Amino acid sequence: MDSHVVSDSGRATERYLEALKTIITASAYDESAWRVIETAPLHSAQGFGGRLRLGLKNAVVRAFARRGIVLCKARRFSAEARELGRDWPMIGFTMTGKKRLDNTRLAVETVLRENVPGDLMETGVWRGGSVMFMKALLDLHGDRTRTVWCADSFEGLPPPVDDADGDDLSELGYVKVSLEAVKGNFARLGLLDERVKFLKGWFSDTLPTAPVERIALLRLDGDLYSSTMDALTNLYHKVSPGGFVIVDDYQQWPACKRAVDEFRATQGITEPLHFVDQDAVYWRRATI
Ligand SMILES: C[S@@+](CC[C@H](N)C(=O)[O-])C[C@H]1O[C@@H](n2cnc3c(N)ncnc32)[C@H](O)[C@@H]1O
């Protein structure tokens, strides 16, 4: 009878986590594949004709916005794209996709099972989906000791420091999500409490003095070379032996890859990289 009870609760756990991933990735809604049409800086257009068309488009978008109307481009929902975090959902709490949430689960459950000491942290949280999932896993497994740290400007990406830093997304409204909005997202799913902490500001300002002592899971998702390097130089020494370092952008953002490869080379880090999907990688700090 006991095994019956255990397997029923195991099934309920799996269903809860599947439902949570569906909510966090907005996979239940076809409209989540739509794209909000935003204004863009004129210098991003090519030639006089391009700038003229973009100027007109910006004027139309702003005119509708003044009347409280948001323009969207309808796109077909693809379950595969959402599984792999290949599209940026219009609604939903993460752009990473279900497979990377599964990887986050693997990391959280491994550090809990193996008692790897430390908190869980993400640098670059956007709407909060990945950190919300970390917190849900801690709650589910009855952990009351670890904190989930959420580091972000909560106003989007900084401009790249130079041409080699990565693409300039600093004017993209889609990636600007306020601290209040992220706290609200946690609260809506019943995940906000004193064990979720927020570090608001540019990584170069917040991470050197971050009041985080030990880290069991460090998830990097800041896209740029500088954002990735700031996180590694200020936080890597706090990662416990056996702890996980997940890099969301390693395979798609050459500047991020360069930061990780340089850091690993200069620090003599030889722990193997594991590939999660077409974007992310992780490694575990060696236990000595
Ligand atoms: C790709 S999004 C993160 C996606 C998120 N992890 C998820 O689960 O969907 C990148 C985030 O990093 C933040 N970011 C990038 N560089 C930063 C920096 N140097 N300082 C502070 N925030 C930064 C941006 O504000 C943005 O929210």
Side-chain angles (χ1 to χ4, degrees), residues 237-255:
H237 63 283
K238 298 184 178 183
V239 177
S240 299
F244 282 71
V245 179
I246 301 173
V247 188
D248 191 276
D249 309 302
Y250 185 82
Q251 297 174 78
Q252 299 296 331
W253 281 72

Side-chain angles (χ1 to χ4, degrees), residues 49-112:
R51 281 194 289 280
L52 187 65
R53 275 193 298 279
L54 183 57
L56 285 171
K57 185 185 120 184
N58 285 348
V60 172
V61 171
R62 286 196 189 101
F64 277 105
R66 278 195 293 277
R67 287 161 184 75
I69 298 169
V70 176
L71 296 177
C72 295
K73 184 171 171 52
R75 294 186 304 184
R76 186 131 41 94
F77 178 80
S78 157
E80 192 198 348
R82 198 59 56 82
E83 175 80 20
L84 295 172
R86 278 197 166 127
D87 69 341
W88 284 4
M90 183 175 73
I91 52 172
F93 302 131
T94 187
M95 50 175 85
T96 63
K98 287 184 174 178
K99 197 154 181 189
R100 273 172 267 165
L101 289 179
D102 285 337
N103 170 249
T104 296
R105 177 180 178 186
L106 169 86
V108 175
E109 292 185 338
T110 304
V111 300
L112 290 176

Side-chain angles (χ1 to χ4, degrees), residues 73-187:
K73 184 171 171 52
R75 294 186 304 184
R76 186 131 41 94
F77 178 80
S78 157
E80 192 198 348
R82 198 59 56 82
E83 175 80 20
L84 295 172
R86 278 197 166 127
D87 69 341
W88 284 4
M90 183 175 73
I91 52 172
F93 302 131
T94 187
M95 50 175 85
T96 63
K98 287 184 174 178
K99 197 154 181 189
R100 273 172 267 165
L101 289 179
D102 285 337
N103 170 249
T104 296
R105 177 180 178 186
L106 169 86
V108 175
E109 292 185 338
T110 304
V111 300
L112 290 176
R113 192 175 55 248
E114 296 181 5
N115 290 318
V116 176
D119 292 335
L120 315 182
M121 181 163 194
E122 185 173 50
T123 55
V125 305
W126 190 52
R127 294 178 184 161
S130 300
V131 264
M132 288 158 71
F133 199 56
M134 291 179 198
K135 178 59 168 42
L137 286 159
L138 290 183
D139 289 352
L140 188 67
H141 291 290
D143 180 282
R144 300 274 172 273
T145 60
R146 298 174 199 253
T147 293
V148 174
W149 293 91
C150 312
D152 205 293
S153 66
F154 299 101
E155 50 189 69
L157 279 90
V161 295
D162 56 31
D163 287 349
D165 201 20
D167 292 346
D168 186 353
L169 301 184
S170 62
E171 305 209 30
L172 193 63
Y174 180 75
V175 287
K176 298 177 196 277
V177 186
S178 71
L179 176 57
E180 291 64 37
V182 177
K183 281 186 177 170
N185 293 343
F186 268 92

Side-chain angles (χ1 to χ4, degrees), residues 30-42:
D30 287 352
E31 294 78 4
S32 65
W34 294 7
R35 189 171 56 79
V36 172
I37 300 173
E38 289 194 31
T39 58
L42 286 186

Side-chain angles (χ1 to χ4, degrees), residues 261-279:
D261 290 348
E262 274 178 31
F263 185 82
R264 282 170 53 91
T266 55
Q267 300 296 313
I269 299 167
T270 54
E271 290 91 327
L273 287 179
H274 303 277
F275 291 79
V276 177
D277 57 7
Q278 77 292 332
D279 280 52

